[in-house]
């Protein structure tokens, strides 16, 4: 499903405690693998990585979170396969 999407929107399994489930981690890893941007609704910033950029944002002025964008490669563009 992630492969055919243009982006992924992820919420924690339990919004009150912020607990992340196995599905959250699987969808996140798969999106990064397929070079898809991910918006994660978290109160804390995701861990930095050499594979992606983490940027604080607000999605449609509704919910705060972070964009996790795969690093550009090649000639500097974000090429989505």
């Amino acid at each position: 499903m992630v492969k055919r999407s243009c982006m992924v929107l992820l919420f924690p399994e339990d919004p009150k405690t912020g607990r992340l489930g196995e599905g959250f981690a699987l969808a996140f890893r798969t999106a990064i693998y397929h070079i898809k941007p991910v918006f994660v609704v978290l109160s804390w910033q995701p861990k930095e990585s050499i594979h992606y950029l983490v940027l604080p944002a607000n999605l449609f002025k509704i919910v705060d979170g972070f964009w996790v964008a795969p690093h550009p490669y090649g000639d500097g563009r974000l090429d989505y396969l």
Side-chain angles (χ1 to χ4, degrees), residues 39-55:
F39 188 84
V40 292
V41 179
L42 295 174
S43 57
W44 67 90
Q45 182 170 341
K47 185 173 62 170
E48 296 285 334
S49 172
I50 62 170
H51 302 290
Y52 51 81
L53 302 170
V54 178
L55 306 166

Side-chain angles (χ1 to χ4, degrees), residues 2-34:
V2 170
K3 186 176 180 179
R4 294 178 182 246
S5 67
C6 62
M7 69 176 205
V8 176
L9 177 62
L10 292 174
F11 290 87
E13 185 175 293
D14 184 358
K16 289 183 181 181
T17 63
R19 181 176 174 273
L20 306 177
E22 293 176 13
F24 185 100
L26 177 62
F28 183 86
R29 284 191 313 267
T30 304
I32 297 302
Y33 175 79
H34 288 288

Side-chain angles (χ1 to χ4, degrees), residues 56-75:
N58 185 294
L59 188 64
F60 305 119
K61 298 183 180 182
I62 297 174
V63 64
D64 292 324
F66 297 88
W67 276 109
V68 179
H71 278 297
Y73 64 93
D75 60 359

